[in-house]
């Protein structure tokens, strides 16, 4: 299959658009002008169940939904749409809505490494042993966009892309060399594997020469959105040779596969892609968020983990959905997420016992909701720091926060796990 990409305008010219129920069509017309929409022929032809779009997980994973906008903005846009005003002509108004909804990072300054007192552009480091790198071409796009993506604000925004990436492959080398405690380098994006294999190699090569780096990680959703990346793309063989080359340099290569739903793993094409990656010696570990209306039942996760194990993939993390925007419409209550995780883990193959979750991914600590405890008739969530920045409470430390069946917000986790956190729980 040859890659064919669709944006909000070109999708409207397809038969698939005409097959949408009227309400879905209207929501698409309105929302796809605010949120960047991108899909491709594989997703449309092989993954979405067009007879059941309102309940189909993959459709919901790609197409924007009404709850993503605050009700007043949605109503205003609907009125304009019904009045026949072209959504594309509302540029400044749409921009205002986008700005209002941009995901907010609480402590971005703490995560940007410094070299000789200057910020290391295109790098992000929360933990002592791993650094995330954002080479310029890798931050630009993905094979398709997920509706819940918290990076959506970067798409088509060259200003944000340029200020958060680097283009000289040697940029991070001196910093990493001067920090021998960094064992893992994660290439991330958008999706790093959208770009050509020879370009990817240019960015990885200087890192391979650093002895203290033992692990190269590549974060991608290509298996889900475009498995032909590893089979019939013109440089698919070159990409797999690059994987072998990385391993031949004595590094462990970890493909961090973003997998949300078992449907992404069910067809022959993706299974062939998986086998080809595995034949290089790379290990595929799977992670994905638990998301309202897409994979929020225990059955979803039992099916997902069982399929991953069957295919030789390693279930790694179930994340708490990172805040997409101020509406927070994808996150489910923490108690419900924990219950789904625990129920699914009991019923899935025993080899899924190593998967961790639900885990917060957008704070400085990697924090696990490890359970619920009752002390003197009061219930608490037990939180555990799986990874922590060097200057804060160590990994493995536990904290309690009051249990609330409906809450989606654990409060400020950075403050909670910091050295000087003095607040005592009273019970
Ligand atoms: S693949 Fe990742 S970066 Fe790309 S849209 Fe999905 S969540 Fe966002």
């Amino acid at each position: 299959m040859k890659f064919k990409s669709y944006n909000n305008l070109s999708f409207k010219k397809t038969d698939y658009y005409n097959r949408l129920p009227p309400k879905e069509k209207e929501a698409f017309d309105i929302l796809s002008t605010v949120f960047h929409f991108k899909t491709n022929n594989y997703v449309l032809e092989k993954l979405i169940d067009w007879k059941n779009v309102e309940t189909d997980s993959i459709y919901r994973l790609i197409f924007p939904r009404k709850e993503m906008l605050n009700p007043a903005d949605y109503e205003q846009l609907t009125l304009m749409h019904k009045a026949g005003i072209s959504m594309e002509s509302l540029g400044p108004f749409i921009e205002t809505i986008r700005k209002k909804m941009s995901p907010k990072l609480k402590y971005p300054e703490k995560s940007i490494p410094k070299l000789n007192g200057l910020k290391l552009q295109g790098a992000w480091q929360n933990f002592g042993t791993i650094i995330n790198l954002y080479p310029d071409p890798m931050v630009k796009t993905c094979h398709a966009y997920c509706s819940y993506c918290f990076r959506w604000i970067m798409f088509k925004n060259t200003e944000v892309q340029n200020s958060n990436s680097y283009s000289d492959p040697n940029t991070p080398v001196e910093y990493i060399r001067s920090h021998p405690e960094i064992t893992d380098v994660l290439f991330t994006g958008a999706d790093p594997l959208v770009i050509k294999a020879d370009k990817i190699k240019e960015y990885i090569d200087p890192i391979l020469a650093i002895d203290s780096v033992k692990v190269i990680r590549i974060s991608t959703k290509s298996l889900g959105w475009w498995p032909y990346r590893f089979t019939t793309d013109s440089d698919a063989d070159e990409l797999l040779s690059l994987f072998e080359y990385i391993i031949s340099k004595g590094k462990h290569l970890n493909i961090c596969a973003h997998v949300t739903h078992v449907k992404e793993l069910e067809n022959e094409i993706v299974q062939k892609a998986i086998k080809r990656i595995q034949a290089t010696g790379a290990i595929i570990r799977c992670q994905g968020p638990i998301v309202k209306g897409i994979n929020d039942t225990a059955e979803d996760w039992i099916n997902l983990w069982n399929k991953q194990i069957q295919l030789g993939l390693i279930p790694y993390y179930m994340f708490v959905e990172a805040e997409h925007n101020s509406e927070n419409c994808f996150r489910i209550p923490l108690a419900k997420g924990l219950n789904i995780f625990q129920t699914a883990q009991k019923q899935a193959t025993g080899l899924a016992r190593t998967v961790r979750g639900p885990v917060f991914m957008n704070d400085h600590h990697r924090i696990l909701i490890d359970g619920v405890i009752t002390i003197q008739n009061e219930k608490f969530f037990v939180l555990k720091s799986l990874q922590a920045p060097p200057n804060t409470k160590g990994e493995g430390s536990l904290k309690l926060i009051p249990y609330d069946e409906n809450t989606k917000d654990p409060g400020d986790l950075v403050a909670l796990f910091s050295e000087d956190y003095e607040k005592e729980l009273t019970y």
Side-chain angles (χ1 to χ4, degrees):
M1 186 180 266
K2 199 165 163 10
F3 185 73
K4 188 160 174 24
S5 171
Y6 295 91
N7 63 18
N8 59 330
L9 298 177
S10 53
F11 175 71
K12 281 195 203 176
K13 294 181 185 148
T14 66
D15 276 351
Y16 296 109
Y17 175 73
N18 293 327
R19 284 158 67 178
L20 289 179
K23 274 198 167 165
E24 287 298 316
K25 241 186 214 174
E26 181 182 275
F28 179 79
D29 290 349
I30 294 167
L31 293 165
S32 64
T33 52
V34 179
F35 300 102
H36 305 298
F37 176 83
K38 180 176 177 182
T39 190
N40 65 59
N41 43 339
Y42 168 75
V43 175
L44 295 178
E45 289 173 33
K46 308 272 187 198
L47 293 187
I48 292 176
D49 175 2
W50 289 98
K51 291 196 188 96
N52 298 296
V53 290
E54 273 134 334
T55 53
D56 182 60
S57 295
I58 303 293
Y59 176 84
R60 291 171 146 249
L61 223 161
I62 288 278
F63 284 75
R65 62 174 86 160
K66 194 176 161 183
E67 299 76 29
M68 287 162 67
L69 270 189
N70 94 35
D73 288 334
Y74 189 81
E75 200 183 317
Q76 201 168 349
L77 285 170
T78 307
L79 288 174
M80 294 184 197
H81 183 251
K82 286 191 170 145
I85 299 170
S86 147
M87 292 287 105
E88 285 71 38
S89 67
L90 296 174
F93 181 58
I94 301 276
E95 222 24 72
T96 314
I97 296 178
R98 280 186 188 144
K99 283 211 175 104
K100 209 163 51 176
M101 289 192 310
S102 297
K104 305 277 180 303
L105 289 168
K106 281 188 195 132
Y107 302 97
E109 291 302 315
K110 289 187 184 208
S111 301
I112 301 173
K114 296 204 176 53
L115 181 63
N116 305 324
L118 298 173
K119 285 180 187 171
L120 183 65
Q121 182 150 339
W124 192 262
Q125 189 180 14
N126 289 335
F127 312 123
T129 57
I130 179 166
I131 187 167
N132 297 359
L133 298 182
Y134 300 85
D136 168 47
M138 296 186 188
V139 300
K140 291 203 172 356
T141 191
C142 310
H143 290 104
Y145 292 152
C146 311
S147 51
Y148 59 66
C149 179
F150 64 94
R151 291 181 180 147
W152 64 274
I153 204 74
M154 284 183 83
F155 300 135
K156 293 193 187 165
N157 188 334
T158 42
E159 193 188 323
V160 177
Q161 287 172 355
N162 291 343
S163 59
N164 289 286
S165 64
Y166 66 95
S167 47
D168 175 351
N170 289 306
T171 301
V173 171
E174 188 186 342
Y175 177 83
I176 298 173
R177 277 195 197 283
S178 63
H179 287 272
E181 71 277 12
I182 297 176
T183 53
D184 292 42
V185 172
L186 169 67
F187 287 91
T188 179
D191 193 321
L193 298 188
V194 166
I195 60 173
K196 291 284 179 200
D198 56 349
K199 196 77 187 160
I200 300 172
K201 186 168 185 288
E202 273 178 35
Y203 284 96
I204 292 185
D205 241 342
I207 307 298
L208 296 180
I210 305 173
D211 285 344
S212 47
V213 173
K214 310 295 180 204
V215 179
I216 300 292
R217 306 189 191 194
I218 299 175
S219 176
T220 182
K221 198 169 175 64
S222 300
L223 278 172
W225 287 162
W226 187 249
Y228 301 97
R229 186 69 194 91
F230 310 98
T231 58
T232 55
D233 271 8
S234 59
D235 65 338
D237 289 349
E238 205 181 328
L239 181 65
L240 296 170
S241 299
L242 172 62
F243 290 178
E244 285 170 349
Y245 170 74
I246 293 168
I247 294 163
S248 77
K249 296 289 176 184
K251 313 294 182 190
H252 172 72
L253 175 60
N254 182 65
I255 304 298
C256 311
H258 169 190
V259 188
T260 321
H261 197 272
V262 70
K263 281 181 79 178
E264 294 169 59
L265 299 175
E266 281 176 333
N267 65 50
E268 279 177 24
I269 305 147
V270 66
Q271 292 181 12
K272 185 173 177 194
I274 289 167
K275 283 196 182 122
R276 295 199 85 204
I277 296 170
Q278 288 168 333
T280 68
I283 300 296
I284 306 172
R285 289 179 175 81
C286 301
Q287 56 192 38
I290 181 162
V291 196
K292 189 175 173 186
I294 293 177
N295 59 7
D296 56 353
T297 68
E299 199 186 358
D300 287 325
W301 289 88
I302 294 166
N303 293 337
L304 182 63
W305 292 334
N306 281 346
K307 180 56 80 180
Q308 288 171 356
I309 295 287
Q310 183 195 353
L311 297 174
L313 315 177
I314 301 176
Y316 189 43
Y317 279 134
M318 171 206 271
F319 286 122
V320 177
E321 185 270 326
E323 288 163 9
H324 174 278
N325 64 43
S326 51
E327 293 312 305
N328 206 0
C329 72
F330 292 101
R331 187 178 283 190
I332 64 171
L334 304 179
K336 185 177 175 191
L338 177 63
N339 185 268
I340 290 169
F341 179 87
Q342 291 177 333
T343 307
Q345 206 174 40
K346 278 181 204 144
Q347 293 176 40
T349 159
L351 293 178
R353 290 297 187 276
T354 54
V355 65
R356 310 303 290 269
V359 168
F360 293 94
M361 64 180 294
N362 58 343
D363 268 297
H364 291 258
H365 297 252
R366 187 128 298 184
I367 290 167
L368 170 74
I369 309 174
D370 210 11
V372 174
I373 191 170
T374 303
I375 302 173
Q376 294 178 1
N377 295 324
E378 268 195 65
K379 282 170 99 178
F380 298 90
F381 284 114
V382 181
L383 303 183
K384 180 176 186 179
S385 166
L386 298 180
Q387 258 179 316
N391 59 343
T392 55
K393 286 267 184 203
E395 289 168 13
S397 64
L398 300 173
K399 293 281 180 181
L400 303 183
I401 58 168
Y403 176 87
D404 173 341
E405 194 176 72
N406 300 313
T407 191
K408 296 177 181 176
D409 181 5
D412 187 335
L413 294 175
V414 176
L416 181 65
F417 279 83
S418 66
E419 273 308 341
D420 54 4
Y421 185 75
E422 287 171 358
K423 189 176 156 200
E424 292 293 330
L425 283 170
T426 51
Y427 52 84

